[in-house]
Structure formats: structure tokens, C-alpha cells
Amino acid sequence: MRRGVVAALATASLLLSAACSTGGEGSSAGPGAPSPTTAAPGSGSPSPSASADLPPAKGAAKVVSTLTEELKSPWGLTPLPGGDLLVASRDEGTIHRIDGESGKKTLLGTVPGVSPAGEGGLLGLAVSSTFGADELVYAYFTTTSDNRIVRMQYDERRPAGQQLGAPDTILRGIPKGSIHNGGRIAFGPDKMLYAGTGEIGDTGLAQDKESLAGKILRMTPDGEPVHGNPEADSVVYSYGHRNVQGLAWDARKRLWAAEFGQNTWDELNLIKPGGNYGWPEVEGEEGEDGFIDPVAQWKTSEASPSGIAYAEGSIWMAGLRGERLWRIPLSGDSAGEPLADPQSFLDEKHGRLRTVVSAGSDRLWLVTSNTDGRGTPKAGDDRILLVEVE
């Protein structure tokens, strides 16, 4: 199946423009660029899915409404209990609350210490799994010295612009760069915090287990290593990644991650604790001993993936350079083999697509990314779109 997917995608890619720019997200690394089936811990062993529970081989996706417009360099997005959303501005270092019905924007505040440059700035957002009790908002951002994860108390009773408490740093020392800062954070089914990082263009860091760069990290809500991590004293969960910006769990509580390739293959991976995903020794599917191959791969011109989400039996992946939303139907196969070839939607209709999160049932929130310095903004950009899928 996988070879068929690769062949079909490689053939399709020949019909697309392969224009290259500098070696950051949404582009290949041109001259001058810096040179499994495992359930979430504690989730138990999932039983095989019945065929009646599988998604159809072919799906659908359509934008049913625009929730809000005129966002500036939006990056992280996280739902609040009750249906509203929090969205981060990468370059302005601000967080806004978006009313889930009207789209009205309310400024929570500016996150102190954010130092935007290149692909760095205020990136991923998450709310605690006990938000109703503690009202904690987590953020991943770039400072003058590193990338770090903080948490802040949110008090909506305070005036707009003054609703965020002082940042409490739970993890510091993630290497920073002008490119490949990773940045996605999310709480898993085990109520632990996961983070995707990049290798900042220093490719050797991805294979260095002592570095937090080019990794998926797993930690407690306080930023400490979790019992059951590959190394008891380390937050490193998997390694050999180039630039992870997509994290999501399926109905079996398996962790999936999307990451940028360099010149050839972008990847969707099923994550195993302690797994080595190959970068920079391999890119895409190579079948080499010691490295875990991706479940699916795309030419960089077709994807350059950022956020991913799970809905209706499929992984949905937002593409930056590819300017499309990919659907990867899951088969329930223990190795993560897709049920059918990935299928794209919304091709070049809304520009670059940064973040996608579940809106419940058969709907997704989708964030465009045309004001990030690499897109071509249109009137009203950037937007949060509501997408109906099957």
C-alpha cells in the first residue's frame, strides 16, 4: 500500500511547480541554507477496529463559514471549554480569545519575553486538561536565548489586554534559530504535555539525545520527565525529527506527528516511544534498519505540513507551501498503514494553511497563514475557517 501511495504522489508532484526558496518552513533548503503501533502511555492495548468503524476510502471537506478575519500572523490555536478559541500571533506575541459563535476578538494580553524573528515567536498554545479548575494557558515561544514553554493564569474578569498572569517557565533551553523552531504543544489522552521541536537548521541535533532540538518531548504539566519516558530523567520521547509542527491522537490514543522534509519528502509519522525517525540520515521512506519510516509522505511542493487533527476516522493535515488540506484515512492497521491514498482538498483556495484542530464531530477549525511573510495576503487575511469533513 505504502509504495502505491508514494508512486501516486510522486507522479502527481511532477505536474506541480517545484520552485524553491530559502530553507525554512514551506520551502526546500536551497543554496545557503544551514547545512508502530503504540498507544499513549496508560491507555492500554486497543482492540482492532471493526470494518464498519473504518472511514470511507474517499472523503470530503468544505468550508461552511468564516469565523473571524484580519488576524496577524496567527499560529497556535486551542479550543476552550464551551466552544470559544484562543489564537496566538507569532509576530506580535499576543493571545486573543475568539467567540466561537460570533467571531468577536478579545485581547487577553501580550506574552512577555517573546522575541519574534524568522520562524520564531509566539507559537503553540494549549490549555490545561483541568482548565475549568486552574485556568492555565500554556505557550511555546522564542526568546532572545532559547525556545521555552510557559504557563499563565487566565482571568477573563480582568480588563481586556490584562487577562494574562506572569509567565511561569516550565521548560527552557530548547535551541532556537531563524528556522525550524517546531512549536506545537498539546495535552495527550494521558494528560501529559507533548511538544514538537525543530533542529534549527543544525541537523546533527536531531540525533543528539542530549539536545531538546529535533524531538518530540513528553512532560508533566509542571515540565518534568514522565514515568514511562524512554529515559527516566529526560523529557525526550522520540528523536531524529527535522521540524515537528503537527501533533494529534486518533481514537485508539495513538500519537501522530507531521514534519517538514528538506528537498524531497514531507512526512506523517506514527510515534513510538524512543523511536528514531531518521533525520538527517534519511528523509522519507528508506527502509533502513534502526529508523522508523513515515506512514505517508509528500513532495515538499504539495505539503510543507504544519498542524494536524483527527476527525471522522482520518488525520487531517494543513499544508503551507502546498496550500491545501490533506486527508489520510486510517485503516486501524497495527503499523498505521493508511486505508487509502491521501486526498487533498481546498487546493490553493485559501492560501497557506497553518493550524487545524477538531471542532467536534465532523468539523474542523482551520487557520490560514498568509500574513507570516511568506504568503500573499488577500483582503481579510488571516482567517479562521469552519470546515465540514467526512
Side-chain angles (χ1 to χ4, degrees), residues 148-225:
R148 62 183 59 178
I149 301 172
V150 306
R151 58 187 175 188
M152 299 163 284
Q153 193 85 43
Y154 169 37
D155 187 351
E156 63 177 305
R157 296 165 297 185
R158 302 190 65 183
Q162 303 176 34
Q163 297 177 349
L164 289 176
D168 170 26
T169 300
I170 66 165
L171 184 69
R172 67 180 73 238
I174 303 169
K176 61 163 282 189
S178 60
I179 59 172
H180 303 176
N181 288 285
R184 194 70 61 187
I185 58 175
F187 279 92
D190 55 0
K191 302 187 186 305
M192 297 296 109
L193 182 63
Y194 293 72
T197 73
E199 35 76 305
I200 67 170
D202 183 350
T203 58
L205 295 180
Q207 291 292 323
D208 180 357
K209 293 183 183 180
E210 300 301 315
S211 173
L212 298 179
K215 309 294 189 296
I216 293 175
L217 311 178
R218 176 178 179 247
M219 67 200 80
T220 71
D222 296 324
E224 298 297 325

Side-chain angles (χ1 to χ4, degrees), residues 205-274:
L205 295 180
Q207 291 292 323
D208 180 357
K209 293 183 183 180
E210 300 301 315
S211 173
L212 298 179
K215 309 294 189 296
I216 293 175
L217 311 178
R218 176 178 179 247
M219 67 200 80
T220 71
D222 296 324
E224 298 297 325
V226 182
H227 177 73
N229 277 6
E231 300 291 338
D233 60 347
S234 174
V235 295
V236 172
Y237 193 64
S238 64
Y239 66 108
H241 299 288
R242 186 170 183 260
N243 190 24
V244 176
Q245 290 189 5
L247 298 171
W249 289 263
D250 64 19
R252 296 172 122 202
K253 302 180 181 180
R254 299 179 300 178
L255 175 59
W256 299 81
E259 68 178 274
F260 293 86
Q262 180 171 257
N263 296 317
T264 312
W265 298 116
D266 294 324
E267 300 179 0
L268 178 69
N269 288 296
L270 181 56
I271 301 302
K272 292 182 178 181

Side-chain angles (χ1 to χ4, degrees), residues 86 95-97 106-110 137 154 159-164:
L86 297 183
I95 300 176
H96 282 81
R97 181 171 182 154
T106 301
L107 177 65
L108 273 62
T110 301
V137 176
Y154 169 37
Q162 303 176 34
Q163 297 177 349
L164 289 176

